[in-house]
Coordinates of all heavy atoms in Angstrom, one line a residue:
D69 N 78.0 132.1 121.5 CA 76.5 132.3 121.4 C 76.1 132.0 120.0 O 75.3 132.7 119.3 CB 76.1 133.7 121.7 CG 76.5 134.1 123.2 OD1 76.4 133.2 124.0 OD2 76.9 135.2 123.4
G70 N 76.6 130.9 119.4 CA 76.1 130.4 118.1 C 76.7 131.2 116.9 O 76.4 130.9 115.8
K71 N 77.6 132.2 117.2 CA 78.2 132.9 116.1 C 79.7 132.9 116.1 O 80.3 132.9 117.2 CB 77.8 134.4 116.2 CG 76.4 134.7 115.7 CD 76.5 136.1 115.1 CE 75.1 136.5 114.4 NZ 74.2 137.0 115.4
F72 N 80.4 132.8 115.0 CA 81.8 132.8 115.0 C 82.4 134.2 115.2 O 81.9 135.2 114.6 CB 82.4 132.3 113.6 CG 82.3 130.8 113.5 CD1 81.5 130.2 112.5 CD2 83.0 130.0 114.4 CE1 81.4 128.8 112.4 CE2 82.9 128.6 114.3 CZ 82.1 128.0 113.3
V73 N 83.4 134.2 116.1 CA 84.0 135.5 116.4 C 85.5 135.3 116.2 O 86.1 134.3 116.6 CB 83.8 135.9 117.9 CG1 84.5 137.2 118.3 CG2 82.3 135.9 118.3
P74 N 86.1 136.2 115.4 CA 87.6 136.1 115.1 C 88.4 136.1 116.4 O 88.0 136.8 117.4 CB 87.9 137.4 114.3 CG 86.6 137.8 113.7 CD 85.6 137.4 114.7
A75 N 89.4 135.3 116.5 CA 90.3 135.2 117.7 C 91.7 135.3 117.3 O 92.1 135.0 116.2 CB 89.9 133.9 118.4
S76 N 92.6 135.6 118.3 CA 94.0 135.5 118.0 C 94.4 134.0 118.1 O 93.7 133.2 118.6 CB 94.8 136.3 119.1 OG 94.7 135.6 120.3
W77 N 95.6 133.7 117.5 CA 96.1 132.3 117.6 C 96.3 131.9 119.0 O 95.9 130.8 119.4 CB 97.4 132.2 116.8 CG 97.2 131.9 115.3 CD1 97.5 132.7 114.3 CD2 96.7 130.7 114.8 NE1 97.2 132.1 113.1 CE2 96.7 130.8 113.4 CE3 96.2 129.5 115.3 CZ2 96.2 129.9 112.5 CZ3 95.7 128.5 114.4 CH2 95.7 128.7 113.0
D78 N 96.8 132.8 119.8 CA 97.0 132.5 121.2 C 95.7 132.1 121.9 O 95.7 131.1 122.6 CB 97.5 133.8 121.9 CG 98.7 133.5 122.7 OD1 99.4 132.5 122.5 OD2 98.9 134.3 123.7
E79 N 94.7 132.8 121.7 CA 93.4 132.5 122.3 C 92.8 131.2 121.8 O 92.4 130.3 122.6 CB 92.4 133.7 122.0 CG 91.2 133.7 122.8 CD 90.1 134.7 122.3 OE1 90.5 135.6 121.5 OE2 89.0 134.6 122.7
A80 N 92.9 131.0 120.5 CA 92.3 129.8 119.9 C 93.1 128.6 120.3 O 92.5 127.5 120.8 CB 92.3 129.9 118.4
I81 N 94.5 128.6 120.3 CA 95.3 127.5 120.6 C 95.1 127.2 122.1 O 95.0 126.0 122.5 CB 96.8 127.7 120.3 CG1 96.9 127.9 118.8 CG2 97.7 126.6 120.8 CD1 96.8 126.6 118.0
S82 N 95.1 128.2 123.0 CA 94.9 128.0 124.4 C 93.5 127.3 124.7 O 93.5 126.3 125.5 CB 94.9 129.3 125.2 OG 96.1 129.9 125.0
L83 N 92.5 127.7 124.0 CA 91.2 127.1 124.2 C 91.2 125.7 123.7 O 90.7 124.8 124.5 CB 90.1 127.9 123.4 CG 88.7 127.3 123.4 CD1 88.1 127.3 124.8 CD2 87.8 128.0 122.4
V84 N 91.7 125.4 122.5 CA 91.7 124.0 122.0 C 92.5 123.1 123.0 O 92.1 122.0 123.4 CB 92.3 123.9 120.6 CG1 92.4 122.5 120.1 CG2 91.3 124.7 119.6
A85 N 93.7 123.6 123.4 CA 94.6 122.8 124.2 C 93.9 122.5 125.6 O 93.9 121.3 126.0 CB 95.9 123.5 124.4
S86 N 93.3 123.5 126.1 CA 92.7 123.3 127.5 C 91.5 122.4 127.4 O 91.3 121.5 128.2 CB 92.4 124.6 128.2 OG 91.4 125.2 127.5
K87 N 90.7 122.5 126.3 CA 89.5 121.7 126.1 C 89.9 120.2 125.9 O 89.4 119.3 126.5 CB 88.7 122.2 124.9 CG 87.7 123.2 125.2 CD 86.5 122.5 125.9 CE 85.3 123.3 126.0 NZ 84.3 122.6 126.9
F88 N 91.0 120.0 125.1 CA 91.5 118.7 124.8 C 91.9 118.0 126.1 O 91.6 116.9 126.4 CB 92.6 118.7 123.8 CG 92.1 118.7 122.3 CD1 93.0 119.0 121.3 CD2 90.8 118.6 122.0 CE1 92.6 119.0 120.0 CE2 90.4 118.6 120.7 CZ 91.3 118.9 119.7
K89 N 92.7 118.8 126.9 CA 93.2 118.3 128.2 C 92.0 117.9 129.1 O 92.0 116.9 129.8 CB 94.1 119.3 128.9 CG 95.5 119.2 128.3 CD 96.4 120.2 128.9 CE 97.1 119.6 130.1 NZ 98.3 120.5 130.5
E90 N 91.0 118.8 129.2 CA 89.9 118.6 130.1 C 89.1 117.4 129.7 O 88.8 116.5 130.5 CB 89.0 119.9 129.9 CG 87.8 120.0 130.8 CD 87.0 121.2 130.3 OE1 87.5 122.3 130.2 OE2 85.8 121.0 130.1
I91 N 88.8 117.2 128.4 CA 88.0 116.0 127.9 C 88.8 114.8 128.1 O 88.3 113.7 128.6 CB 87.6 116.2 126.4 CG1 86.6 117.4 126.3 CG2 87.0 114.9 125.9 CD1 86.2 117.8 124.9
N92 N 90.1 114.8 127.9 CA 91.0 113.7 128.1 C 91.0 113.2 129.5 O 90.9 112.0 129.8 CB 92.4 114.1 127.7 CG 93.2 112.9 127.2 OD1 93.5 112.0 127.9 ND2 93.5 112.8 125.9
A93 N 91.0 114.2 130.4 CA 91.1 113.9 131.9 C 89.7 113.4 132.3 O 89.6 112.4 133.1 CB 91.5 115.1 132.7
Q94 N 88.6 114.0 131.8 CA 87.3 113.6 132.3 C 86.7 112.3 131.7 O 86.2 111.5 132.4 CB 86.3 114.8 132.0 CG 85.0 114.7 132.7 CD 84.1 115.9 132.4 OE1 84.5 116.9 131.7 NE2 82.9 115.8 132.8
F95 N 86.9 112.2 130.4 CA 86.3 111.0 129.7 C 87.3 109.9 129.3 O 87.0 108.9 128.7 CB 85.5 111.4 128.5 CG 84.4 112.4 128.9 CD1 84.5 113.8 128.7 CD2 83.2 111.9 129.5 CE1 83.5 114.7 129.0 CE2 82.2 112.8 129.8 CZ 82.3 114.2 129.6

Side-chain angles (χ1 to χ4, degrees):
D69 300 325
K71 280 215 175 85
F72 282 118
V73 180
S76 69
W77 272 113
D78 226 24
E79 194 187 347
I81 296 289
S82 299
L83 174 66
V84 174
S86 67
K87 270 287 194 187
F88 279 169
K89 279 179 90 166
E90 184 189 309
I91 292 172
N92 209 292
Q94 195 179 350
F95 300 102

